[in-house]
């Protein structure tokens, strides 16, 4: 028997955008984190290539979940001088393979969009799991792609009454506020991070800051914070005292948080991580981990290959459906 | 300035075959090995995923050469039950990226052909560098794809008077002999490996054997052996005494040969590697490393990512030319 080998599906950004609309992203990302925390994911350490001239880096994230049909390889690079020649700094693609034969099934030329989506959906999943059920006022630091997308996906899964933005670039901040208000008049800009914290039940940080932006004393009881920006050893958005005094801290990968993100930075400052749980374990609990509306909770997300697997799989399943 | 990003070239197997004809593969592979041995190649350890049911493995080889324009990522898998459902066991692809921007330039859907070619050309390069200049009689163990391709590429770069094949499958061996004789009546089959060794100036091994096939006492003075089959810790085609008593042993990567291939297996048996050199250093010498026509020489090739880089680059350069 000679089986004809089909060509891989080549899926472009436009396809990706329409296919994602057909997918239960919330359920898929939740399931990915649960499988990861159960130890069912096979995720080797991230592969890395560094470049000097011009400076750049490429990362290869790959893996699979046992008893699921596909393995993923994601190649993503950052060349920060690219905008000088009119190119986005982020480049890369996702590849999906059959776990039973190795056959290449899909080449997803998503131009970074899947990474943005899986990061935003993970933020929404963590926020909904940890915030007070009545939390309606959102404050977001950072007005780039992720600053918008965290709002966009959270608003699909929770009722949001208001969203306040703080950003370094005031024009960009106003533009984002206007964009949201064009369809839903709930956004405003805020010059003071302290004031933004005082007026928010949920705070989401999406900046590339390397020194903390939010002081511990600004956080009022009952607040939930989702920290998305810091995914390397160098980056940091939260005062380490926030993690030390929080009732619950959740990391998407406790293993990764030993070397990167807010948890890593807080450890350097003496955080002993006795209040630290892994997101997949929290999502798998029958009841909310939060037991009191005055508790302060933090989610620190550095990004895990199971997320890349789940969104690539969703796109592929939608196209072959 | 907003530069439009071109789509990557998608290059299929048929394209690959015709494009390779336009390339100086011998020169490119030679240059790759020289740069590798000079320390100019950035080649992180191979990434690996293992699968249980059915058994399979995927390897990710990636890297670049300093001052060259591209980086390569090759994903190659082996699922050895695939033939039961009519699929080749080998699957995978090569990706070529711009080292200065990270932009994906080419998706090469070569179905394993580039790996076969780079392996065969490396064999020819090593054989020509080490064999006596008058060596004309070739003996090849193994009658699969690589058994044929080692002959094919070697005959492009050296005058071959005869080629003898030994293989486990007698029908397959006769078919290969007939195929070669259809255009050039120089091939024959040989049932005895000992006799094949006695009649050959050059021996090339291309089998997946895990116990040695060639005894040291069968090798006559002046013989050169290129061992291609063994590329893992489990595989072995040569009696360790061959490496111990050889005048010169060459490895494509001394680093890799610490953990795989003939050199690794011989080390376990007490080989002290005082006669071991790296291929790129030998290729960079102004004169032949062989100084006497009675010397016995061995090349142990386990396959290096610079080869994948050089052939992927050749295909891409030919298509954009």
């Amino acid at each position: 028997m000679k089986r004809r080998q089909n060509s891989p599906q080549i899926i472009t950004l436009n396809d990706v955008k329409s296919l994602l609309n057909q997918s239960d992203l919330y359920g898929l990302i939740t399931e990915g984190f649960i499988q990861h925390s159960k130890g069912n994911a096979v995720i080797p350490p991230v592969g890395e290539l560094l470049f000097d001239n011009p400076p750049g880096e490429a990362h290869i994230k790959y893996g699979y979940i046992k008893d699921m049909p596909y393995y993923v390889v994601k190649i993503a690079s950052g060349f920060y001088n690219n905008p000088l020649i009119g190119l986005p700094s982020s480049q890369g693609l996702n590849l999906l393979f059959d776990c039973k034969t190795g056959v290449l099934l899909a080449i997803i030329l998503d131009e970074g969009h899947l990474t943005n989506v899986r990061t935003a959906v993970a933020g929404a999943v963590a926020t909904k799991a940890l915030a007070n059920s009545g939390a309606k006022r959102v404050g977001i630091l950072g007005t780039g792609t992720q600053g918008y997308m965290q709002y966009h996906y959270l608003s699909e899964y929770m009722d949001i009454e208001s969203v306040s933005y703080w950003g370094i670039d005031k024009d960009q901040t106003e533009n984002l506020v206007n964009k949201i208000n064009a369809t839903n008049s709930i956004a405003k800009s805020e010059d003071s991070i302290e004031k933004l914290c005082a007026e928010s039940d949920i705070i989401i940080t999406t900046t590339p800051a390397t020194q903390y932006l939010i002081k511990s004393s600004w956080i009022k009881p009952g607040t939930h914070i989702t920290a998305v920006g810091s995914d390397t050893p160098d980056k940091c958005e939260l005062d380490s005292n926030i993690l030390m005094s929080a009732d619950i801290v959740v990391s998407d990968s406790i293993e990764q948080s030993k070397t990167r993100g807010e948890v890593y930075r807080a450890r350097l400052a003496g955080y002993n991580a006795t209040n630290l749980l892994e997101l997949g374990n929290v999502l798998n609990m029958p009841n909310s981990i939060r037991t009191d509306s005055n508790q302060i909770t933090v989610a620190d997300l550095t990004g895990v290959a199971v997320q890349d697997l789940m969104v690539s799989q969703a796109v592929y399943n939608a196209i072959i459906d």
Side-chain angles (χ1 to χ4, degrees), chain A residues 52-56 78-89:
Chain A
D52 291 333
N53 182 28
F79 283 81
Y80 299 100
N81 290 347
N82 275 1
L84 299 176
I85 55 168
L87 287 173
S89 51

Side-chain angles (χ1 to χ4, degrees), chain A residues 43-49 57-63 74-76 118 231 253 256 259-260 302-305 308:
Chain A
I43 310 280
V46 177
E48 185 175 71
L49 284 174
E57 58 187 45
H59 288 110
I60 306 176
K61 293 190 176 180
Y62 54 107
K74 176 172 102 168
I75 299 138
R118 62 85 148 155
D231 59 351
S253 164
Q256 276 184 201
T259 56
R260 57 188 71 209
T302 59
V304 191
D308 302 310

Side-chain angles (χ1 to χ4, degrees), chain A residues 127-146:
Chain A
T127 300
K128 190 172 159 81
L130 292 164
N132 271 309
S133 57
K136 293 192 170 179
R137 297 175 305 161
V138 179
I140 299 181
L141 272 58
T143 56
T145 303
Q146 201 52 223

Side-chain angles (χ1 to χ4, degrees), chain A residues 231-272:
Chain A
D231 59 351
T232 68
D234 300 327
K235 290 191 252 177
C236 175
E237 303 180 278
L238 306 182
D239 181 351
S240 295
N241 289 316
I242 296 174
L243 281 76
M244 294 185 201
S245 60
D247 295 278
I248 303 157
V249 177
V250 167
S251 158
D252 53 358
S253 164
I254 286 183
E255 185 60 33
Q256 276 184 201
S257 72
K258 289 176 182 164
T259 56
R260 57 188 71 209
E262 305 298 338
V263 168
Y264 166 72
R265 289 291 285 260
R267 278 182 199 271
L268 295 183
Y271 170 55
N272 62 11

Side-chain angles (χ1 to χ4, degrees), chain A residues 2-311:
Chain A
K2 177 80 176 168
R3 196 169 86 175
R4 179 161 160 66
Q5 189 168 330
N6 294 319
S7 296
Q9 296 279 352
I10 295 171
I11 307 174
T12 61
L13 177 58
N14 279 339
D15 299 331
V16 166
K17 286 183 174 173
S18 67
L19 293 165
L20 283 177
N21 290 333
Q22 306 166 37
S23 307
D24 170 21
L25 294 169
Y26 191 92
L28 288 166
I29 291 290
T30 299
E31 180 65 15
F33 283 127
I34 289 173
Q35 293 298 330
H36 178 251
S37 290
K38 280 184 173 173
N40 291 338
V42 177
I43 310 280
V46 177
E48 185 175 71
L49 284 174
L50 300 177
F51 303 87
D52 291 333
N53 182 28
E57 58 187 45
H59 288 110
I60 306 176
K61 293 190 176 180
Y62 54 107
Y64 66 94
I65 293 172
K66 289 170 195 168
D67 299 325
M68 287 200 183
Y70 312 124
Y71 81 86
V72 74
V73 179
K74 176 172 102 168
I75 299 138
S77 63
F79 283 81
Y80 299 100
N81 290 347
N82 275 1
L84 299 176
I85 55 168
L87 287 173
S89 51
S90 297
Q91 298 286 333
L93 77 164
N94 280 267
L95 300 166
L96 206 67
F97 299 85
D98 187 328
C99 271
K100 293 203 177 292
T101 63
V103 167
L104 174 64
L105 299 171
I107 299 166
I108 310 177
L109 303 169
D110 61 288
E111 301 177 25
H113 185 65
L114 281 181
T115 300
N116 292 335
V117 169
R118 62 85 148 155
T119 304
V121 174
V125 166
T127 300
K128 190 172 159 81
L130 292 164
N132 271 309
S133 57
K136 293 192 170 179
R137 297 175 305 161
V138 179
I140 299 181
L141 272 58
T143 56
T145 303
Q146 201 52 223
Y148 171 70
M149 289 181 76
Q150 288 286 334
Y151 156 74
H152 174 76
Y153 281 97
L154 190 62
S155 68
E156 290 204 4
Y157 311 124
M158 290 183 78
D159 278 333
I160 295 179
E161 186 181 276
S162 66
V163 57
S164 300
Y165 276 100
W166 173 90
I168 290 268
D169 182 324
K170 298 307 162 195
D171 287 344
Q172 188 172 315
T173 309
E174 290 306 325
N175 287 341
L176 177 53
V177 164
N178 292 338
K179 173 182 169 178
I180 292 171
N181 286 338
T183 53
N184 191 2
S185 289
I186 62 170
K188 68 179 178 102
S189 64
E190 179 54 68
D191 287 341
S192 156
I193 297 177
E194 183 174 0
K195 200 166 163 214
L196 178 144
C197 292
E199 293 175 353
S200 301
D201 312 314
I202 293 167
I203 300 168
I204 304 171
T205 62
T206 69
T207 76
T210 54
Q211 302 286 346
Y212 72 78
L213 298 170
I214 301 183
K215 283 180 77 165
S216 182
S217 60
W218 299 345
I219 302 300
K220 61 181 170 51
T223 300
H224 168 73
I225 305 172
T226 294
V228 173
S230 174
D231 59 351
T232 68
D234 300 327
K235 290 191 252 177
C236 175
E237 303 180 278
L238 306 182
D239 181 351
S240 295
N241 289 316
I242 296 174
L243 281 76
M244 294 185 201
S245 60
D247 295 278
I248 303 157
V249 177
V250 167
S251 158
D252 53 358
S253 164
I254 286 183
E255 185 60 33
Q256 276 184 201
S257 72
K258 289 176 182 164
T259 56
R260 57 188 71 209
E262 305 298 338
V263 168
Y264 166 72
R265 289 291 285 260
R267 278 182 199 271
L268 295 183
Y271 170 55
N272 62 11
T274 51
N275 58 353
L276 181 64
L277 296 163
E278 196 165 73
L279 179 56
N281 290 328
V282 170
L283 296 173
N284 204 30
M285 291 174 180
N287 300 310
S288 170
I289 182 83
R290 175 186 281 271
T291 54
D292 184 316
S293 63
N294 281 321
Q295 288 175 322
I296 291 175
T297 55
V298 177
D300 177 27
L301 307 180
T302 59
V304 191
V306 285
Q307 297 167 254
D308 302 310
L309 175 64
M310 297 307 277
V311 290

